[in-house]
Amino acid sequence: MNKILRIDTKRKEFSYSDPDDRHAILGGRALTSRIVMDEVPPTCHPLSADNKLVIAPGLLSGTTAANSGRLSVGSKSPLTGGIKESNAGGLVSQKLARMGIQAIIIEDKPEEEDYSLIHITKDGVAFLPADDLVGMTNSEVINTLWKRFGEKVGVACIGPAGEQRLTGASIQLADPKGNPGRAAGRGGLGAVMGSKKIKAMVIDDAGCERVKPANKEAFSEVAKKWAKLLTSHPVSGEGLPAFGTAILVNVVNEAGAMPTKNFRTGRFDRAEKISGEMMAELIEKRGGIIKEGCHPGCVIKCSQAYHDKNGDYLTSGFEYETVWAFGAHCLIDDLDAIAEMDRLCDDIGLDTIDAGVAIGMAMEGGLIEWGDKAGAIDLLNKVRTGDPVGKIIGNGAAFTGQALGVDRIPVVKKQALPAYDPRAVKGVGVTYATTPMGADHTAGYGVCQNILKVGGDVDALKKEGNIDVSKNLQVATAVLDAAGLCIFVAFPVLDSEEGFGMIVDMINARYGINLTADDVLAIGINTLETEKAFNRAAGFTKHDDRLPAMFKENLEPHNVTWDFSDDELDSTLSFG
Amino acid sequence: MNKILRIDTKRKEFSYSDPDDRHAILGGRALTSRIVMDEVPPTCHPLSADNKLVIAPGLLSGTTAANSGRLSVGSKSPLTGGIKESNAGGLVSQKLARMGIQAIIIEDKPEEEDYSLIHITKDGVAFLPADDLVGMTNSEVINTLWKRFGEKVGVACIGPAGEQRLTGASIQLADPKGNPGRAAGRGGLGAVMGSKKIKAMVIDDAGCERVKPANKEAFSEVAKKWAKLLTSHPVSGEGLPAFGTAILVNVVNEAGAMPTKNFRTGRFDRAEKISGEMMAELIEKRGGIIKEGCHPGCVIKCSQAYHDKNGDYLTSGFEYETVWAFGAHCLIDDLDAIAEMDRLCDDIGLDTIDAGVAIGMAMEGGLIEWGDKAGAIDLLNKVRTGDPVGKIIGNGAAFTGQALGVDRIPVVKKQALPAYDPRAVKGVGVTYATTPMGADHTAGYGVCQNILKVGGDVDALKKEGNIDVSKNLQVATAVLDAAGLCIFVAFPVLDSEEGFGMIVDMINARYGINLTADDVLAIGINTLETEKAFNRAAGFTKHDDRLPAMFKENLEPHNVTWDFSDDELDSTLSFG
């Protein structure tokens, strides 16, 4: 039987309990959002003792299902002030599932200033002193902990940004190689962990058995088909493994949807220099690793190891959105400089999207020049050291924009827009506006139908059909996030009549239950409804489901603007 | 006939128009809020071209009515994101009234970076280059402009904070002596003026006649009674002239309502050292000025000139709230240091309340030690120079709290709470929560009935009666703000059966109309309704009408807490 692990950071105690009925068949985001709704006062300060940090593996995590090892981290977001689920790879999800832990709920906060290291094993939870870890970068933390606890343990930790409780702070997770390349990046959850004085968590599943599906044979059978489905689709089976997500640089730029110089145009004339093709070429030349999974059990392998000019490891988990944020958004065309910034963010524990968009705000506000890569790197280093300008950047794009008196600040619910211009990929634009998470491409990745033409063909430049694109993707994504599945399984699932059924079948076989496809879709819908309800109780209204006025400007090359009516946007997540 | 002056900052053009019907008998805050509601898109960015800055004298400004020279400045607030009216003394209100200008509406914003000096005379508006003024403190600006245009002109200007478009930036006004001691301080309106690239406005009424009331004799008669009413009340006639508003230090401290060390207790054990009595003693000893009006026609004279140890002018308009913010809130007990900070704020163009509370956040967040006056002065100086830490402080308390990961941030609608603990002066607490302005004592000064026992006697420590205290005061204050009357006329008006009738009579005699007392109260109610409607359209909900969770803590010495229900708060401004 799965259990809930509750950790009281004030009294340094822990306890296990059985999940109550409403949590029984929930996992990942569905469970973190449910628990946050049930237990966190919506109007509390996100850094106060009243907030909680909830960590949950997906419903399929720990099984042999391909790409089922994604972790959900939930809380009231210090960045948006609303509910947050931030989703990450790494080792933790599979291990928690094997330990029979359905969720960890981290509560209260200590009165003293000392940080703890939380050590979770099959025997329980130990609060260990973390004096030696304080101030360390995430690379240093993971290196230290792997030396101490062995190179198999899962690690979730915060860097200097989380210690400073900056609203751009991430929780970083050790990837399979022990680099801090995976992040629960968005929404400032590292600040919540910092407020609870936890520098790192070690999850050690030694002595725990693999997850045994209730219906083992049925599970094996569908899991095999599932793996084959993922590897046989051109995007998840070929494009992503060959070039990583940075394959999108040329694709999105060609589509005229690459936000350039703080969303002034849709094309970056030097995109080629920061493209996935260029990245793959450099990796190959320098002896890096072209394809790598973000968690054990991944068959898509869109991650990589990017080496510097000397052939030494520089960074991994080097995503398209990061390349865009520090690249086209800031008019920086040097992939090595961008890789260095990705590494800095991983080490300092910063969301690369909000950090990159914040650097753009620093350029917009005249703090540094457009394209000044050395200046940008310097600003990130100052987040590490706690310099006041670092506190500005480290609190994200909305904060940096305000600090510098900028009036073109591309955020929704204070969270920075990612790498797809909402005027030229309208399906994603609707997601930015309406997801309870704040601007987030992963909440409903309309790039599928709009640009990649996966799961349908809906004009990216026109309104028509894109409310439905976003709505359906947001529901489906909430299901994937509940299951612990990587978002990229959406490509084959959308293009196959059997894909979604396989997910349903795997959940049923895993738990020995009989959900229908509609039952599983209802998990997604309920999750969205729960998240909306939390946000309403925290003071959000439909006015928060809007893009900022700057998107009324025309966007070249397609001369498009943001033209959805309020009613259209408000209809997106209406399931009544 | 009064006219509306519209100034287009993009095209550098101006025009006059007749007020339309709905503006005909509106002045001050009633008019600025009406125009902001009618003309500013509620969801626009406050620093964008869509926002407007509206400046209006009161209905009685320019007449011989005592204390009628207060000015209203309205806009969408960069600090709160809602509507804002900020109220100030100085010379401008009387002069605009004499020039027949009912309101100035400053629109759009220039594309180029150059600042302008706006010169307004009876002949029209000139846009003059302001290169020589840029970077100057407000003292320097006023000195320069009085040398250039004569020592009678009204000046409204921004300092380095407004140029940086910081959300704590004020608009400062020359007082009758030419010091920048009067401020439209709250809500960041200096940033709006900065975004429109106006460094200063000179209002020169040379050649304009005094306001002639429609019914001159009736006006004279009631104006005489009015002046006598103000000078014969113990608070406005004795206490305020003798000690200024700082008389409240000992009074509020004795009441156990002086927020100390970021609202941790209600009493500051060193209050005596920063009291109004101490201030008066030092002023007398050093040759300063004990009593001075903030505008011509003032008979209360609660302002002063505070000199330093060498007998040189240091500051004026040195209010209780400022003494509190840099004093008890920060555990600073040195009146000279606090006076220096008041002067710095006037010169840099910063709201002293939000700046002082922000300094407290810097102490709470560990940036400087509690009580570190040198550190506090250094932080303010860094606002002037544009240092990143100055940009943090200069954006106010909410911003500084976030920058430093603080979870006890005393703000409502992002505006800092002033100098009366809401748990121990509950009538003011209700105003903090419910006024559309964000936490603001002047919007409904429950200190009257709660502590001074003016206009009634309602227990400060109990809920009972305090919703009504705040409601009635908020309506009455909106009337005073419409009339251009100083808030301190409330003391005699509340304690006299004839006071309110005199205001009604003066308005009627001034305009040759026949409003009833209810008609005049309706102006106040309509103003509040308009402001609430703007805020709703900007995305505010009843959740924004709440104090932060920190006020659930118990407050010594009276062991009181914040105990109003949501329904009680929501009933405060319901007039339906």
Side-chain angles (χ1 to χ4, degrees):
Chain A
M1 183 63 189
N2 278 344
K3 52 194 182 288
I4 305 286
L5 169 59
R6 211 170 271 274
I7 298 179
D8 179 334
T9 59
K10 185 175 182 185
R11 291 163 201 80
K12 306 212 183 319
E13 294 170 356
F14 68 97
S15 63
Y16 293 101
S17 61
D18 293 333
D20 66 26
D21 286 350
R22 64 198 313 191
H23 301 153
I25 304 293
L26 292 180
R29 172 179 170 191
L31 184 57
T32 62
S33 288
R34 183 71 254 165
I35 292 172
V36 169
M37 181 72 202
D38 288 346
E39 301 196 9
V40 175
T43 57
C44 76
H45 193 288
L47 303 180
S48 70
D50 284 341
N51 199 9
K52 304 192 180 191
L53 192 67
V54 186
I55 301 173
L59 287 169
L60 295 175
S61 298
T63 71
T64 55
N67 288 66
S68 65
R70 298 285 297 188
L71 184 73
S72 287
V73 186
S75 195
K76 172 164 172 162
S77 166
L79 180 72
T80 70
I83 200 166
K84 174 58 65 177
E85 182 258 8
S86 197
N87 194 286
L91 310 172
V92 173
S93 187
Q94 310 278 37
K95 289 182 190 294
L96 289 178
R98 282 176 199 149
M99 295 166 85
I101 295 175
Q102 192 182 2
I104 304 175
I105 304 175
I106 302 174
E107 305 184 326
D108 218 325
K109 65 186 221 187
E111 279 157 15
E112 68 278 7
E113 287 298 306
D114 300 333
Y115 277 87
S116 290
L117 162 65
I118 304 280
H119 187 222
I120 304 177
T121 65
K122 67 180 172 51
D123 301 321
V125 177
F127 284 80
L128 306 176
D131 312 355
D132 56 327
L133 303 175
V134 169
M136 277 188 183
T137 65
N138 287 309
S139 295
E140 293 165 342
V141 170
I142 296 171
N143 283 341
T144 304
L145 295 177
W146 270 26
K147 273 184 199 149
R148 184 164 161 197
F149 296 100
E151 299 200 348
K152 283 181 178 169
V153 299
V155 177
C157 53
I158 58 169
E163 289 183 36
Q164 295 173 63
R165 302 176 301 282
L166 304 176
T167 53
S170 61
I171 297 172
Q172 295 290 139
L173 292 104
D175 68 16
K177 293 262 169 63
N179 293 307
R182 313 313 314 181
R186 307 223 70 188
L189 300 191
V192 178
M193 190 160 152
S195 76
K196 298 191 182 307
K197 298 288 172 188
I198 300 173
K199 175 68 178 172
M201 305 175 66
V202 168
I203 289 89
D204 187 350
D205 63 344
C208 297
E209 294 181 7
R210 297 182 73 93
V211 169
K212 283 181 193 143
N215 190 336
K216 204 175 163 187
E217 277 180 36
F219 192 93
S220 281
E221 195 178 332
V222 60
K224 270 179 215 158
K225 282 194 272 181
W226 173 250
K228 193 169 171 195
L229 180 78
L230 303 193
T231 50
S232 61
H233 189 274
V235 177
S236 54
E238 295 168 27
L240 287 170
F243 299 107
T245 59
I247 189 176
L248 287 163
V249 173
N250 281 336
V251 173
V252 176
N253 196 53
E254 183 58 33
M258 170 85 88
T260 301
K261 198 182 181 186
N262 191 22
F263 294 82
R264 279 191 174 75
T265 77
R267 227 168 243 165
F268 182 38
D269 56 10
R270 289 162 283 158
E272 187 57 48
K273 298 178 71 176
I274 58 170
S275 65
E277 291 79 352
M278 175 65 74
M279 188 188 291
E281 189 184 316
L282 289 175
I283 289 174
E284 194 147 27
K285 192 166 76 178
R286 295 169 178 178
I289 300 167
I290 290 272
K291 55 182 179 175
E292 198 165 43
C294 79
H295 66 277
C298 167
V299 299
I300 297 178
K301 299 184 186 301
C302 70
S303 196
Q304 72 296 87
Y306 183 93
H307 289 193
D308 65 17
K309 282 174 180 154
N310 303 321
D312 296 325
Y313 172 85
L314 183 54
T315 196
S316 56
F318 187 21
E319 310 288 357
Y320 163 65
E321 287 76 14
T322 307
V323 172
W324 162 77
F326 294 114
H329 175 65
C330 295
L331 300 189
I332 291 175
D333 63 5
D334 178 339
L335 204 54
D336 284 336
I338 297 171
E340 186 175 344
M341 290 191 265
D342 184 54
R343 166 65 177 267
L344 278 169
C345 286
D346 290 350
D347 266 349
I348 297 165
L350 269 185
D351 176 32
T352 56
I353 297 174
D354 245 287
V357 178
I359 296 284
M361 293 299 98
M363 293 169 173
E364 187 82 68
L367 193 64
I368 58 175
E369 296 291 315
W370 287 105
D372 176 5
K373 59 194 180 190
I377 289 169
D378 180 55
L379 287 176
L380 290 179
N381 273 311
K382 285 179 170 158
V383 180
R384 184 176 52 75
T385 59
D387 185 279
V389 79
K391 289 189 186 289
I392 292 173
I393 300 292
N395 271 297
F399 196 84
T400 304
Q402 182 180 341
L404 301 174
V406 171
D407 68 346
R408 293 179 78 258
I409 306 179
V411 298
V412 176
K413 300 178 180 70
K414 297 195 197 140
Q415 184 166 287
L417 264 67
Y420 313 85
D421 196 295
R423 294 161 290 190
V425 199
K426 291 208 154 106
V428 160
V430 175
T431 299
Y432 292 165
T434 60
T435 167
M437 294 297 141
D440 180 359
H441 59 296
T442 69
Y445 192 64
V447 178
C448 292
Q449 291 88 337
N450 281 178
I451 295 185
L452 302 174
K453 307 307 180 188
V454 165
D457 181 351
V458 178
D459 193 331
L461 306 177
K462 298 213 172 87
K463 292 201 296 187
E464 286 68 33
N466 276 312
I467 295 287
D468 279 344
V469 160
S470 174
K471 175 182 194 156
N472 294 332
L473 286 170
Q474 288 195 60
V475 172
T477 304
V479 170
L480 299 181
D481 292 341
L485 291 168
C486 155
I487 191 180
F488 293 143
V489 309
F491 299 120
V493 167
L494 286 168
D495 268 348
S496 150
E497 287 188 4
E498 291 155 14
F500 193 76
M502 292 183 199
I503 297 173
V504 176
D505 290 345
M506 287 192 291
I507 292 173
N508 283 334
R510 160 75 176 85
Y511 293 94
I513 53 179
N514 262 305
L515 302 181
T516 64
D518 281 347
D519 293 336
V520 173
L521 283 175
I523 294 176
I525 292 171
N526 288 342
T527 300
L528 292 164
E529 295 276 32
T530 299
E531 292 165 349
K532 283 171 61 186
F534 184 94
N535 282 358
R536 271 195 307 275
F540 284 60
T541 69
K542 60 185 183 175
H543 294 283
D544 296 297
D545 294 335
R546 303 287 180 264
L547 297 189
M550 63 186 277
F551 292 102
K552 288 182 207 153
E553 299 167 11
N554 272 337
L555 181 77
E556 298 295 345
H558 295 302
N559 196 27
V560 281
T561 186
W562 179 248
D563 50 2
F564 288 94
S565 70
D566 290 352
D567 285 347
E568 286 165 337
L569 293 173
D570 294 338
S571 74
T572 310
L573 295 188
S574 288
F575 302 103
Chain B
M1 181 63 188
N2 280 341
K3 51 193 184 290
I4 304 287
L5 169 58
R6 213 170 270 275
I7 298 178
D8 179 334
T9 60
K10 184 175 182 185
R11 291 164 201 80
K12 305 210 185 319
E13 294 170 356
F14 68 97
S15 63
Y16 293 102
S17 61
D18 293 334
D20 65 27
D21 287 348
R22 61 198 316 191
H23 301 153
I25 305 293
L26 293 181
R29 173 179 169 191
L31 184 56
T32 61
S33 288
R34 183 74 254 164
I35 293 172
V36 170
M37 181 72 203
D38 288 346
E39 301 197 9
V40 174
T43 57
C44 75
H45 193 288
L47 302 180
S48 70
D50 285 342
N51 199 9
K52 304 192 179 190
L53 191 68
V54 186
I55 301 173
L59 286 170
L60 296 174
S61 299
T63 69
T64 57
N67 288 67
S68 65
R70 299 283 298 186
L71 184 74
S72 288
V73 186
S75 194
K76 171 166 172 160
S77 165
L79 180 72
T80 70
I83 199 166
K84 174 59 65 179
E85 182 259 8
S86 197
N87 194 285
L91 309 171
V92 174
S93 187
Q94 310 278 38
K95 290 181 190 294
L96 289 179
R98 283 176 197 148
M99 295 166 84
I101 295 175
Q102 192 182 3
I104 305 174
I105 305 175
I106 302 174
E107 306 184 325
D108 218 325
K109 65 187 222 186
E111 278 157 14
E112 66 278 8
E113 288 298 306
D114 299 333
Y115 277 86
S116 290
L117 162 65
I118 305 281
H119 187 222
I120 304 178
T121 65
K122 67 178 172 50
D123 300 322
V125 177
F127 283 80
L128 307 175
D131 312 356
D132 55 329
L133 303 176
V134 170
M136 276 189 184
T137 65
N138 286 309
S139 295
E140 293 166 342
V141 170
I142 296 171
N143 284 340
T144 304
L145 296 177
W146 271 26
K147 274 185 197 148
R148 185 163 160 197
F149 296 100
E151 298 200 350
K152 285 182 179 169
V153 299
V155 178
C157 53
I158 58 170
E163 290 183 35
Q164 293 173 62
R165 302 176 301 284
L166 304 176
T167 53
S170 61
I171 298 172
Q172 295 291 138
L173 292 104
D175 67 17
K177 293 262 168 62
N179 293 307
R182 313 313 314 180
R186 307 223 69 188
L189 301 191
V192 178
M193 191 161 152
S195 76
K196 300 191 181 306
K197 298 288 171 189
I198 300 174
K199 174 69 177 172
M201 305 176 66
V202 168
I203 289 88
D204 187 350
D205 62 346
C208 298
E209 295 181 8
R210 296 182 74 92
V211 168
K212 285 182 193 141
N215 191 336
K216 205 175 164 189
E217 279 180 35
F219 191 93
S220 281
E221 195 178 333
V222 60
K224 270 178 215 161
K225 283 194 272 183
W226 172 250
K228 194 169 170 195
L229 180 78
L230 304 193
T231 51
S232 61
H233 189 274
V235 177
S236 55
E238 295 167 26
L240 287 171
F243 300 107
T245 59
I247 190 176
L248 288 164
V249 173
N250 282 336
V251 173
V252 176
N253 196 52
E254 184 58 34
M258 170 85 88
T260 301
K261 197 181 181 186
N262 191 23
F263 294 81
R264 279 191 175 75
T265 77
R267 227 167 243 165
F268 182 38
D269 56 10
R270 288 163 283 158
E272 188 55 48
K273 298 178 71 177
I274 58 171
S275 66
E277 291 79 352
M278 176 66 74
M279 188 188 291
E281 189 184 316
L282 290 175
I283 290 174
E284 195 146 23
K285 192 165 76 179
R286 295 171 178 178
I289 299 167
I290 289 271
K291 54 182 180 176
E292 199 165 43
C294 79
H295 66 277
C298 167
V299 299
I300 298 178
K301 300 185 186 300
C302 70
S303 196
Q304 74 294 89
Y306 183 93
H307 289 194
D308 65 16
K309 284 175 179 154
N310 303 320
D312 296 324
Y313 172 87
L314 183 54
T315 196
S316 56
F318 187 21
E319 310 287 357
Y320 163 63
E321 288 74 15
T322 307
V323 172
W324 163 78
F326 293 115
H329 175 65
C330 295
L331 300 189
I332 291 175
D333 63 5
D334 178 339
L335 204 54
D336 283 336
I338 298 171
E340 185 175 344
M341 290 191 265
D342 184 52
R343 166 65 176 268
L344 278 169
C345 285
D346 290 350
D347 266 349
I348 297 165
L350 269 186
D351 176 32
T352 56
I353 298 174
D354 245 286
V357 179
I359 297 285
M361 293 298 100
M363 293 169 173
E364 187 82 69
L367 193 64
I368 59 175
E369 296 291 317
W370 287 104
D372 176 5
K373 59 195 180 191
I377 289 169
D378 181 55
L379 287 176
L380 289 179
N381 272 310
K382 284 179 171 158
V383 180
R384 184 176 51 77
T385 58
D387 185 279
V389 79
K391 289 188 185 289
I392 291 173
I393 299 292
N395 271 297
F399 195 84
T400 303
Q402 182 180 342
L404 301 173
V406 171
D407 69 346
R408 293 180 78 260
I409 306 178
V411 299
V412 176
K413 300 179 180 70
K414 296 195 198 141
Q415 185 166 286
L417 264 67
Y420 313 86
D421 195 295
R423 292 161 292 190
V425 199
K426 291 208 155 105
V428 161
V430 174
T431 300
Y432 291 165
T434 60
T435 167
M437 294 297 141
D440 180 357
H441 59 297
T442 69
Y445 191 63
V447 177
C448 292
Q449 291 88 337
N450 281 177
I451 295 185
L452 303 174
K453 307 306 180 189
V454 164
D457 180 352
V458 178
D459 193 332
L461 305 177
K462 298 213 172 88
K463 292 200 296 186
E464 286 67 33
N466 276 312
I467 295 286
D468 278 344
V469 161
S470 175
K471 176 182 193 156
N472 294 333
L473 287 171
Q474 289 196 58
V475 172
T477 304
V479 171
L480 300 182
D481 292 342
L485 292 168
C486 154
I487 190 180
F488 294 143
V489 308
F491 300 121
V493 166
L494 286 168
D495 268 347
S496 149
E497 286 189 5
E498 292 156 15
F500 194 77
M502 292 183 200
I503 297 173
V504 176
D505 290 346
M506 288 192 289
I507 293 173
N508 283 334
R510 160 75 176 87
Y511 292 95
I513 53 179
N514 262 305
L515 302 182
T516 64
D518 280 348
D519 292 337
V520 174
L521 282 176
I523 293 176
I525 292 171
N526 288 340
T527 301
L528 292 164
E529 295 276 33
T530 300
E531 291 166 350
K532 283 171 60 186
F534 184 94
N535 282 358
R536 272 196 306 275
F540 285 59
T541 69
K542 59 185 183 174
H543 294 284
D544 296 297
D545 294 336
R546 303 288 180 263
L547 297 189
M550 62 187 278
F551 292 102
K552 288 183 207 150
E553 300 167 11
N554 271 337
L555 181 76
E556 297 297 345
H558 296 303
N559 195 28
V560 281
T561 186
W562 180 248
D563 50 2
F564 288 93
S565 71
D566 290 352
D567 285 346
E568 287 165 336
L569 294 174
D570 294 339
S571 74
T572 311
L573 295 188
S574 287
F575 303 102

